[in-house]
Amino acid sequence: MSDATLHATGQNPDDFAVQIADQIESFLVAVTEVAKGDEPGSTVPFLLLEVSQLLLAGGRLGAHEDIVPDERYEPDLGPEADVDELRENLARLLDPVDVYSEVFDPYEPRKAPVPARISDDLTDVITDLRHGMAHYRAGRTAEALWWWQFSYFSNWGSTASATLRALHSVLAHVRLNQPLEELDGLDTDQDVMGDETLEFEAGKVMQQEIGDQLGLRSAK
């Protein structure tokens, strides 16, 4: 079903819901498998693929008309599942490229970039998606779609988009043999990226810390 048919009359809304749920479930399962670390050399390429596919579902939710839940108040789902182990595993697999620089709102002028972590972002996205999935599995399809659409605009859409850009940048630097100049010393405890951030010699980060770890060959 193309995005152009989302508002078509006579379309079965369950089809859209099932497709969105399948895409989200696929992302949840795939990232959980990646975090196990069975194929550490493929971590970044796999995550790039999965986040890209998730954002297709997000784009479809964003293009859809506003979804209204059946109930006025959201049913209680109980405590959220713990994601600390997942976050720690992703951080270990992504070291030393876990921390990146992000601007929260490109339309706010004069905002300095701030450090963020891919591992934090992914677990934040997963928490949002699992919340909606709990509604979906309980048979509250409209509630699930409403939550996924609302949280896409309010949180996981921008977070996943920033993560995708970071993952793309890592692969682009490796494949194009370009150094990541302000990598060492950058941490999320810093408010902004300063001039004192250490710089590596050209190619050193790529060859010794990133390229070998990810199992990728740089361009000649």
Side-chain angles (χ1 to χ4, degrees), residues 170-177 206 210-211 214 216-219:
V170 171
L171 287 183
H173 278 289
V174 173
R175 297 286 173 82
L176 300 177
N177 196 24
M206 297 293 95
I210 299 178
L214 301 182
L216 297 173
R217 295 170 53 189
S218 60

Side-chain angles (χ1 to χ4, degrees), residues 86-157:
L86 179 65
R87 179 186 292 107
E88 291 168 2
N89 288 342
L90 288 170
R92 174 177 50 81
L93 288 168
L94 290 165
D95 182 67
V97 297
D98 193 21
V99 180
Y100 69 99
S101 178
E102 168 62 0
V103 177
F104 287 124
D105 190 340
Y107 285 99
E108 283 194 45
R110 297 178 295 280
K111 288 292 185 180
V114 297
R117 288 186 181 273
I118 297 174
S119 56
D120 287 344
D121 289 349
L122 287 173
T123 49
D124 192 24
V125 170
I126 284 173
T127 298
D128 274 347
L129 298 180
R130 283 179 175 175
H131 187 91
M133 187 59 70
H135 285 303
Y136 184 78
R137 288 171 176 165
R140 296 186 291 269
T141 301
E143 189 77 39
L145 288 174
W146 170 82
W147 173 259
W148 285 328
Q149 185 185 62
F150 167 76
S151 57
Y152 169 75
F153 285 121
S154 63
N155 185 45
W156 72 261

Side-chain angles (χ1 to χ4, degrees), residues 18-75:
V18 168
Q19 290 169 16
I20 294 297
D22 284 348
Q23 288 179 282
I24 289 174
E25 177 69 11
S26 176
F27 175 81
L28 294 174
V29 171
V31 175
T32 301
E33 288 299 311
V34 169
K36 292 179 180 178
D38 294 335
E39 298 184 50
S42 300
T43 299
V44 171
F46 280 163
L47 290 177
L48 178 71
L49 176 61
E50 294 304 326
V51 175
S52 297
Q53 292 177 334
L54 174 66
L55 284 171
L56 172 60
R60 296 182 67 190
L61 285 165
H64 200 284
E65 62 187 5
D66 288 347
I67 299 166
V68 180
D70 295 330
E71 301 178 32
R72 181 176 180 183
Y73 298 103
E74 183 182 10

